[in-house]
């Protein structure tokens, strides 16, 4: 979709501000190339200050990009308060900025919110990498009443980009069953697949898949192709699962599915630009029908 491609490109160039952009990667495909793409696209943008908070990246390893407005802060031996103070010194006032964090793995789950919140500014975009752990190499367990680190990040993030191998890296079933940690050939390449999700202020989500190539700095939208055979096959499977579960019918016919898809949902209709003169954003939309008995002189008759 063209609109989704434009939105992702505007986020990369900080033309649209997203308070927290979460990049999720795995050992088989790193998100560092996408993080470097943010630096590349804002290297010569006037008025944009780029701050790199490093937990894994050595000092001087970003010089080849040639970003004159880049400021590097090594965070390994600094407390969270000291990191916040350094960022505040580099960003006086409401200067437009891009703050990059190369890893959140070293921050305990109980300190994630207190670390991220002071870095979020009205005119700033915070981009952070979250390494998705493998099931057999999970981090320390959190109390049952506390949300996990991944749950907290997904709740705080306004934009979520999951970085996957492109093409998909496959592992032999025997090796995977043995629980052996393997990195096949082709892992962590400069080409990757991006699963993009952006949450608007209205609560509506925009999502799409992209093919990203860091070597050429290009993004290509991936069309989600679903053939009729696949859809009919999935429908037959669903009906087979629901069959004989109850004494009444749980499935739907083709006619019922078509009628359901044509129903206009009220919360989507309320977000349109102009609906019967109503205001945008959660406004009440009511259209009178001929059966309605409306009395203009009755003040309690107004549905609004």
């Amino acid at each position: 979709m063209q609109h989704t491609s434009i939105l992702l490109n505007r986020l990369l160039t900080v033309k649209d501000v997203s308070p927290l952009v979460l990049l999720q990667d795995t050992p088989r495909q790193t998100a560092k190339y996408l993080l470097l793409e943010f630096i590349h696209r804002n290297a010569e943008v006037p008025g944009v200050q780029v701050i790199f908070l490093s937990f894994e990246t050595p000092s001087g390893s970003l010089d080849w990009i040639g970003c004159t407005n880049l400021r590097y802060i090594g965070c390994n031996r600094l407390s969270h308060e000291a990191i916040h103070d350094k960022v505040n010194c580099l960003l006086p006032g409401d200067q437009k900025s891009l703050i990059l964090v190369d890893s959140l793995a070293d921050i305990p789950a109980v300190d994630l919110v207190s670390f991220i919140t002071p870095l979020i500014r009205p005119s700033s975009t915070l981009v952070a990498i979250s390494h998705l752990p493998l099931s057999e190499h999970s981090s320390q367990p959190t109390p049952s009443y506390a949300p996990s680190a991944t749950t907290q990040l997904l709740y705080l993030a306004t934009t979520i980009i999951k970085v996957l191998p492109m093409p998909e890296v496959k592992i032999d079933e025997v090796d995977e069953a043995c629980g052996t940690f393997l990195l096949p050939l082709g892992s962590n390449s400069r080409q990757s697949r991006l699963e993009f999700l952006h949450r608007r202020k209205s609560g509506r989500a925009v999502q799409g898949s992209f093919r990203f190539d860091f070597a050429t700095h290009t993004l290509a939208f991936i069309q989600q192709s679903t053939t009729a055979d696949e859809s009919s096959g999935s429908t037959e499977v669903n009906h087979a699962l629901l069959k004989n579960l109850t004494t009444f019918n749980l499935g739907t016919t083709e006619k019922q599915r078509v009628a359901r898809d044509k129903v206009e949902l009220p919360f989507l209709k309320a977000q349109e630009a102009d609906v019967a003169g109503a205001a945008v954003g959660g406004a009440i939309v009511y259209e009178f029908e001929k059966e309605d008995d409306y009395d203009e002189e009755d003040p309690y008759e107004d549905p609004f």
Side-chain angles (χ1 to χ4, degrees):
M1 184 183 293
Q2 184 179 4
H3 174 69
T4 309
S5 302
I6 294 175
L7 177 59
L8 179 55
N9 281 282
R10 290 183 64 87
L11 290 175
L12 287 172
T13 54
V14 202
K15 292 181 179 178
D16 287 347
V17 175
S18 182
L20 176 57
V21 179
L22 181 65
L23 308 182
Q24 293 184 314
D25 66 358
T26 63
R28 297 172 187 172
Q29 182 58 54
T30 178
K32 290 292 180 64
Y33 292 116
L34 184 57
L35 195 71
L36 296 177
E37 185 69 18
F38 277 92
I39 302 177
H40 171 77
R41 298 205 180 194
N42 296 277
E44 299 179 358
V45 178
V48 177
Q49 183 71 48
V50 182
I51 298 179
F52 194 93
L53 304 182
S54 173
F55 289 91
E56 298 177 348
T57 307
S59 176
S61 60
L62 303 175
D63 297 341
W64 62 274
I65 300 179
C67 183
T68 57
N69 54 346
L70 175 66
R71 298 295 180 267
Y72 176 93
I73 299 177
C75 303
N76 286 326
R77 300 182 180 181
L78 296 178
S79 64
H80 296 170
E81 292 77 10
I83 296 173
H84 298 154
D85 292 340
K86 285 182 174 291
V87 173
N88 293 331
C89 293
L90 295 174
L91 296 177
D94 293 333
Q95 181 182 1
K96 193 173 184 180
S97 59
L98 174 64
I99 304 176
L100 307 174
V101 183
D102 63 351
S103 177
L104 296 174
D106 295 333
I107 302 175
V110 294
D111 298 332
L112 271 176
V113 176
S114 60
F115 174 77
I116 291 176
T117 303
L119 299 176
I120 298 177
R121 296 164 170 258
S123 57
S124 177
T125 296
L126 173 63
V127 184
I129 294 180
S130 173
H131 302 310
L132 293 178
L134 299 178
S135 58
E136 60 268 21
H137 300 283
S138 59
S139 58
Q140 296 181 354
T142 56
S144 58
Y145 57 84
S148 63
T150 303
T151 303
Q152 296 183 52
L153 292 173
L154 293 178
Y155 178 79
L156 293 173
T158 50
T159 303
I160 303 171
I161 304 178
K162 191 172 183 179
V163 185
L164 304 172
M166 189 72 186
E168 184 180 356
V169 179
K170 296 183 179 180
I171 297 181
D172 187 81
E173 296 180 358
V174 177
D175 294 333
E176 191 170 5
C178 295
T180 306
F181 178 70
L182 298 173
L183 286 179
L185 294 177
S187 301
N188 296 314
S189 66
R190 296 194 172 194
Q191 295 182 354
S192 59
R193 177 189 177 99
L194 307 180
E195 296 293 337
F196 172 73
L197 173 65
H198 177 69
R199 298 165 179 163
R200 295 185 177 275
K201 294 181 180 179
S202 61
R204 190 174 183 179
V206 179
Q207 56 186 350
S209 301
F210 295 88
R211 182 182 294 104
F212 169 63
D213 191 349
F214 180 72
T216 58
H217 304 288
T218 56
L219 286 168
F221 183 76
I222 301 176
Q223 294 288 346
Q224 300 293 337
S225 59
T226 55
T227 62
D229 296 337
E230 292 177 351
S231 59
S232 61
S234 61
T235 304
E236 293 175 358
V237 172
N238 293 335
H239 281 299
L241 293 174
L242 298 175
K243 188 177 180 180
N244 298 328
L245 286 179
T246 61
T247 56
F248 52 89
N249 185 18
L250 292 175
T252 56
T253 63
E254 183 65 26
K255 183 179 180 180
Q256 292 172 337
R257 286 191 293 271
V258 172
R260 180 187 60 189
D261 295 337
K262 291 182 179 179
V263 175
E264 294 186 5
L265 301 178
F267 64 89
L268 293 179
K269 190 175 182 181
Q271 294 176 3
E272 296 178 0
D274 187 10
V275 181
V280 179
I284 298 176
V285 180
Y286 185 84
E287 296 179 1
F288 290 98
E289 299 179 355
K290 61 181 181 179
E291 293 85 3
D292 293 336
D293 185 12
Y294 177 67
D295 187 3
E296 296 181 356
E297 297 180 358
D298 188 356
Y300 299 101
E301 195 70 28
D302 189 359
F304 303 105

